[in-house]
Amino acid sequence: MMMNRAADTIAATDAKPVLSVRNLSKAFAGKTVVDDVSFDIHPGEVIGLVGENGAGKSTTKNMLCGLLQPSNGEILVEGEVVPHIDGPAHGISAVHQELSLFGSLTVAENMCISDLPGKPARVDWREADRIAREQLEFLGIEIDTQATIESLGSGRQQVVEIAKALLHADRVLILDEPTTSLTAVEREKLFAIIDTLKARGVAIIFISHFMEEIYRVCDKFIVLRDGKQVGGGYLSDVPQRQLEEMMVGRTIEDSKIDLHPPGEVEALRVQGLSAIDFDGIDFTVHKGEILGISGLMGAGRTEIAEAIFGLRAATGDVFVKGEKVSPITVKAMKARGVCYVPEDRRTNGLFLNRPVRENLSAAAILNFVTRSLRGIGFRGEKARASDVVRERDISVPSIENHVSDLSGGNQQKVLLGRWLSMAPEILIFDEPTKGVDIGAKFDIHATIAELARAGRAVVIVSSDLPELLHTTHRLLVMRKGHIVGEFQREAYDSVKIISLAASAGNGSNGNA
Amino acid sequence: MPDAIRRVFARQKWMAIAVATIVLAGILTAVSPVFLTLSNLQSILVQSSVTAIMAIGMTFIILTAGIDISVGAILFFTSALFAQLMIDTESYLIAFSAAMTCATGLGALNGVLVVKFRISPLITTLATYSIYRGAAIHLTGAQNIPVPREMGFLGNGKIFSIPVPILILIAVFVIGVYAFTRTRFGVYTRAIGNSARSATESNLPVNRVTIAVYAASGFVTGIAALILLARVGGLQSGIGIGIEFTVIAAVILGGTKLTGGSGTVTGSVIGAVFLVLIDNGLNLMNASPYIYDIVRGSVLLAAVAVDRISAVRQQKAVEAARAARIQGAAIPG
């Protein structure tokens, strides 16, 4: 029964749009978040909704699936004005960025929970299981419908979420950053599913940060900036650079940064580093050099970075400026000018409910304050913190604002500012631009290049390959806890690197 | 532990407390000849019936990641209202229906406060605990009130030689398990405890279900109040004091997570029986009455610690398996 409505309409190609949005606006407490957005989407079409963080994408999404009521404008389903969107009734469903799944419930329970078969007082679990099974089969995925969600990996959870949404979305499916937790293989599988749905006449709104993905799956695009619709049309007409410029509202310089040639002096050397997640890791970073570590999720990248900084137990040796560090502890590393900017800034790096000032001074409070009495007093902290905010171009009303008030990009700048105020000599970044908007991303890349030029050694761990290609001198490729390849900047070849990181065979000849 | 058994333990979260109960019963059998007699077993079930019935209601609340500290006060208020109305009206019908309505209403009020004002359930029900108990004392003028002799049937009577409280417990248990596994209410309850945000996004009636679990707990507390009143023979000012500890402990011992989403009704009932078994054992050993609370508290602490340790061990097993995979995929060069 699920695809009938859509299948009927596909016969009459581009007859009328399945969903139309006219002058849609939303204001919260007088602040307009979405301003005058209009577009049409036809059956079988994929529209990319792009924009920086805070551009109004999520608010638009929430209005389209009925979680928010528009302040102004109207939404038409099949040409008829709908005053109040009811997702399931209108065949519109969204896959939100944070999964809306229930960990201790089974796959079948999760998929059917919004519309359980049987009576309220007697749920037909057999029927629910059948519906779930059929849906997963339709998508070509094998998952045990009686397994609990928490027993599945994040990629499979994402697939269950999509399957769940599709049960109620035979007209329009909204995907909000669906690939962030997927591996390359799972991502391809998702794209194949999108192609299947397209062929069946489902209209899809695809929200993503990754331009490559937008170009891979979408036909059309809409660009939002500060809540306003600043562009739209067919992707085939618009090159990626132009699209990115529309998003940030200014011209982006060539994203391939000019790197200063690296020095010859050894800064950090890792020898035979091994632990549960990785084995026999050897590499050297020189002063002024930026080294990238790439690999798929679970390849052991983050674990290595943590082990070097002393956050994780490992065997093997780490040398800083030629001198062996033993034992490897955070304190010893900090004392030698090594700093580590972790991946998940919200849980591992920042104190969200504390002011920006304290977040900046946290790692090196004694560099921030002058004390006339030993151990007492915070004189100078405010002035130094304000300096850092200026230097790092952090947009925040006051240094007393809580970090939780800031956007992702500015949060990352605060974290960066904290470590840079320690005047470190070796910096290890884990996913330095994850979840930040394009503008902040370029600022951070520029800062990293600047650091290298000033003679610091930098290690970047990232799953964003284009980022590594743009910002590093040298790249290590990891797979399942081993370094399987090394590339110099002149020889960067993204296809080769990806296949090396993802291949299942024993690719022992990755050196280029 | 073989895989099959481990899987049963993972799926049926009440298995651990069931095994612990059987082991404890085995020890008590070895220690005392009177333990394994029909009358002693019956008396254990009768003694656990009040807390077990309340624990069934509490399970649903804790499944939503909530808690109700005021159940002891609801128990007391309901008992007081029933006893007072029996004196004033001499009508079972009026007293009974008023008591049950009131018990459900007080539970529902907790739910409404939690939902409407978004106050933490712990604070909300800590406040209503004081209010309900105070109101009950105000109502009765802090007097002990006897209930009619025929009420005793509810507490001490037998049908087909099975004590009535046990029959009531079985009925509540069956309804509870059914509601938990077969109804929308049950699955919504578990869903809300997993993630209230996901529940909202999935269009579930989060507020209605939340109020309903507190109301349902109030309702079964009303039933428990009548059984207790019947067994004690009348209203006493000490009724229900500290019972919330026993009820919540039974639920936690039964394997329900305080963080919500995961647990079983069966486990809670076994947990309640287990706590009575401990009392029973201490009694057989002629232990000092002051020891009881110490032992109960220690058992609860031990149960939570064991649960944590097994969770950590499971995590380690997962990591070890991953390490084995990595070592297996070792690549030369």
Side-chain angles (χ1 to χ4, degrees):
Chain A
M1 88 185 187
M2 76 156 264
M3 290 294 157
N4 280 353
R5 252 182 293 176
D8 288 343
T9 45
I10 194 152
T13 329
D14 51 29
K16 62 179 176 189
V18 56
L19 182 77
S20 302
V21 173
R22 297 274 169 270
N23 313 102
L24 200 65
S25 299
K26 178 75 192 175
F28 293 106
K31 186 172 181 286
T32 305
V33 183
V34 173
D35 193 0
D36 205 23
V37 171
S38 304
F39 63 90
D40 289 333
I41 182 163
H42 297 82
E45 232 172 25
V46 184
I47 288 194
L49 185 58
V50 297
E52 293 191 287
N53 284 345
K57 293 174 307 208
S58 292
T59 309
T60 306
K61 171 199 72 183
N62 286 337
M63 286 191 281
L64 292 180
C65 63
L67 283 176
L68 283 176
Q69 194 61 19
S71 322
N72 238 324
E74 52 194 20
I75 301 173
L76 294 82
V77 177
E78 302 271 347
E80 274 172 47
V81 178
V82 178
H84 193 102
I85 290 276
D86 172 4
H90 294 117
I92 301 172
S93 189
V95 174
H96 301 279
Q97 201 169 349
E98 278 179 73
L99 298 186
S100 51
L101 294 175
F102 307 104
S104 69
L105 268 54
T106 65
V107 170
E109 286 171 332
N110 266 285
M111 285 177 62
C112 297
I113 196 154
S114 304
D115 188 16
L116 288 165
K119 297 189 201 73
R122 188 171 182 82
V123 176
D124 188 345
W125 286 121
R126 198 165 300 172
E127 173 67 7
D129 191 61
R130 193 194 60 73
I131 293 171
R133 214 177 278 269
E134 202 178 277
Q135 178 71 356
L136 290 171
E137 229 163 77
F138 163 76
L139 294 176
I141 310 146
E142 263 179 52
I143 295 178
D144 178 10
T145 51
Q146 290 308 309
T148 56
I149 288 295
E150 58 203 0
S151 70
L152 303 177
S154 60
R156 318 199 95 196
Q157 291 183 359
Q158 180 88 52
V159 170
V160 172
E161 172 91 19
I162 291 168
K164 173 186 172 184
L166 277 173
L167 274 178
H168 311 289
D170 41 2
R171 281 196 178 113
V172 182
L173 176 67
I174 306 172
L175 299 170
D176 189 0
E177 300 280 1
T179 60
T180 41
S181 57
L182 298 189
T183 63
V185 180
E186 289 166 335
R187 187 154 49 212
E188 281 311 313
K189 192 132 205 172
L190 172 66
F191 293 161
I193 291 173
I194 291 177
D195 289 339
T196 312
L197 295 172
K198 240 178 103 157
R200 302 215 176 206
V202 177
I204 295 170
I205 297 173
F206 189 87
I207 304 175
S208 178
H209 264 106
F210 299 105
M211 287 298 130
E212 290 80 4
E213 291 182 1
I214 295 284
Y215 277 90
R216 161 73 179 77
V217 300
C218 301
D219 306 307
K220 299 203 287 190
F221 70 95
I222 295 159
V223 184
L224 296 183
R225 190 171 73 228
D226 300 329
K228 290 193 182 62
Q229 190 172 350
V230 293
Y234 285 91
L235 276 172
S236 46
D237 301 339
V238 182
Q240 184 171 334
R241 273 282 295 285
Q242 200 181 330
L243 189 61
E244 287 179 348
E245 282 170 12
M246 270 188 234
M247 284 168 59
V248 295
R250 59 182 156 96
T251 320
I252 304 163
E253 320 105 63
D254 197 328
S255 48
K256 189 137 178 168
I257 298 168
D258 277 333
L259 291 182
H260 203 261
E264 298 290 323
V265 187
E266 172 186 309
L268 176 74
R269 181 151 54 92
V270 176
Q271 225 166 42
L273 201 65
S274 300
I276 280 186
D277 298 286
F278 50 86
D279 193 34
I281 301 299
D282 299 307
F283 65 81
T284 307
V285 194
H286 299 99
K287 282 191 170 176
E289 186 182 31
I290 306 176
L291 175 75
I293 300 180
S294 77
L296 302 180
M297 261 173 45
R301 297 166 314 195
T302 297
E303 290 78 3
I304 289 179
E306 289 183 356
I308 294 173
F309 195 58
L311 286 166
R312 193 177 269 267
T315 57
D317 299 324
V318 175
F319 298 84
V320 174
K321 290 175 278 183
E323 182 195 338
K324 184 171 164 179
V325 184
S326 178
I328 306 168
T329 61
V330 175
K331 197 175 170 197
M333 284 297 165
K334 270 175 72 176
R336 285 166 177 77
V338 179
C339 84
Y340 171 63
V341 184
E343 170 178 7
D344 190 344
R345 57 179 175 269
R346 299 178 75 86
T347 54
N348 292 339
L350 293 167
F351 310 109
L352 290 176
N353 292 324
R354 303 302 307 170
V356 169
R357 168 178 52 81
E358 287 179 19
N359 270 282
L360 286 172
S361 63
I365 185 72
L366 292 179
N367 294 357
F368 269 75
V369 297
T370 46
R371 289 181 164 167
S372 33
L373 277 175
R374 244 165 86 103
I376 294 173
F378 285 94
R379 191 187 304 159
E381 188 193 9
K382 280 185 187 166
R384 270 299 303 277
S386 304
D387 288 347
V388 176
V389 165
R390 221 175 3 260
E391 278 166 33
R392 297 263 74 80
D393 192 21
I394 302 168
S395 63
V396 55
S398 140
I399 56 168
E400 297 303 324
N401 276 66
H402 287 188
V403 165
S404 54
D405 302 339
L406 273 59
S407 73
N410 281 311
Q411 289 184 353
Q412 190 70 343
K413 287 183 192 171
V414 169
L415 198 53
L416 209 56
R418 176 201 294 172
W419 291 112
L420 293 183
S421 63
M422 278 177 56
E425 292 178 53
I426 299 165
L427 296 104
I428 306 170
F429 293 96
D430 193 358
E431 303 284 0
T433 60
K434 193 177 185 179
V436 311
D437 55 54
I438 285 192
K441 189 167 173 172
F442 286 117
D443 286 349
I444 290 168
H445 288 170
T447 305
I448 291 174
E450 188 62 38
L451 288 167
R453 194 165 304 151
R456 272 91 179 241
V458 181
V459 177
I460 305 177
V461 171
S462 176
S463 54
D464 184 352
L465 187 57
E467 165 170 289
L468 291 177
L469 296 181
H470 293 154
T471 54
T472 59
H473 289 106
R474 196 153 54 92
L475 192 60
L476 302 177
V477 184
M478 290 199 60
R479 183 172 73 234
K480 292 181 180 162
H482 297 266
I483 293 177
V484 292
E486 181 176 343
F487 292 83
Q488 296 294 335
R489 188 173 176 86
E490 315 73 79
Y492 281 175
D493 178 342
S494 57
V495 178
K496 242 184 186 165
I497 294 171
I498 288 173
S499 68
L500 200 55
S503 68
N506 57 342
S508 53
N509 53 347
N511 295 8
Chain B
M1 222 190 309
D3 255 13
I5 296 179
R6 190 175 297 153
R7 222 170 305 136
V8 170
F9 269 76
R11 268 236 130 97
Q12 303 299 334
K13 297 178 177 69
W14 48 269
M15 281 302 281
I17 186 67
V19 170
T21 307
I22 290 167
V23 168
L24 182 56
I27 295 171
L28 291 178
T29 309
V31 171
S32 157
V34 292
F35 176 78
L36 205 62
T37 56
L38 187 63
S39 71
N40 189 46
L41 291 182
Q42 271 193 357
S43 125
I44 286 168
L45 275 181
V46 169
Q47 282 175 56
S48 43
S49 60
V50 168
T51 46
I53 288 171
M54 290 169 71
I56 292 169
M58 186 66 80
T59 308
F60 283 87
I61 294 181
I62 293 183
L63 275 170
T64 67
I67 198 149
D68 191 343
I69 308 287
S70 75
V71 284
I74 295 178
L75 185 87
F76 182 61
F77 190 100
T78 311
S79 307
L81 185 70
F82 182 87
Q84 187 68 46
L85 282 177
M86 281 309 294
I87 298 282
D88 294 349
T89 67
E90 293 190 350
S91 157
Y92 272 106
L93 183 69
I94 293 175
F96 180 78
S97 41
M100 291 310 294
T101 311
C102 174
T104 314
L106 293 180
L109 179 60
N110 285 340
V112 169
L113 291 172
V114 167
V115 164
K116 289 292 169 204
F117 300 109
R118 298 178 184 278
I119 322 169
S120 124
L122 186 75
I123 300 302
T124 308
T125 58
L126 188 64
T128 55
Y129 164 83
S130 180
I131 295 170
Y132 296 167
R133 189 164 269 283
I137 291 172
H138 186 72
L139 179 80
T140 59
Q143 290 190 352
N144 291 358
I145 306 171
V147 290
R149 187 172 286 274
E150 60 268 27
M151 264 293 280
F153 175 73
L154 207 54
N156 307 313
K158 290 188 178 182
I159 296 176
F160 299 121
S161 74
I162 303 171
V164 173
I166 297 181
L167 291 173
I168 298 175
L169 170 60
I170 290 171
V172 174
F173 172 67
V174 168
I175 295 170
V177 169
Y178 181 86
F180 182 80
T181 54
R182 301 307 300 266
T183 67
R184 283 190 196 176
F185 170 70
V187 68
Y188 287 175
T189 303
R190 288 181 280 147
I192 290 168
N194 262 285
S195 161
R197 180 187 55 78
S198 296
T200 312
E201 281 177 1
S202 304
N203 256 329
L204 306 189
V206 177
N207 289 356
R208 275 215 321 267
V209 171
T210 307
I211 295 171
V213 292
Y214 284 91
S217 166
F219 181 80
V220 292
T221 301
I223 296 175
L226 297 182
I227 296 175
L228 188 62
L229 205 52
R231 290 191 51 217
V232 180
L235 182 73
Q236 295 169 5
S237 58
I239 279 186
I241 288 182
I243 201 170
E244 60 280 344
F245 173 84
T246 318
V247 171
I248 293 167
V251 175
I252 301 302
L253 284 173
T256 299
K257 300 268 172 292
L258 262 178
T259 44
S262 167
T264 60
V265 171
T266 312
S268 303
V269 171
I270 301 175
V273 174
F274 182 80
L275 286 171
V276 172
L277 272 189
I278 288 179
D279 288 2
N280 198 270
L282 291 171
N283 188 19
L284 290 174
M285 286 165 21
N286 285 320
S288 146
Y290 306 116
I291 294 289
Y292 285 45
D293 283 340
I294 299 175
V295 173
R296 280 192 213 122
S298 310
V299 165
L300 181 60
L301 209 52
V304 179
V306 166
D307 183 59
R308 277 305 303 162
I309 292 166
S310 75
V312 168
R313 192 173 300 162
Q314 225 166 13
Q315 186 67 34
K316 283 215 174 115
V318 169
E319 272 176 23
R322 212 173 53 176
R325 272 209 307 280
I326 288 172
Q327 305 304 333
I331 296 152

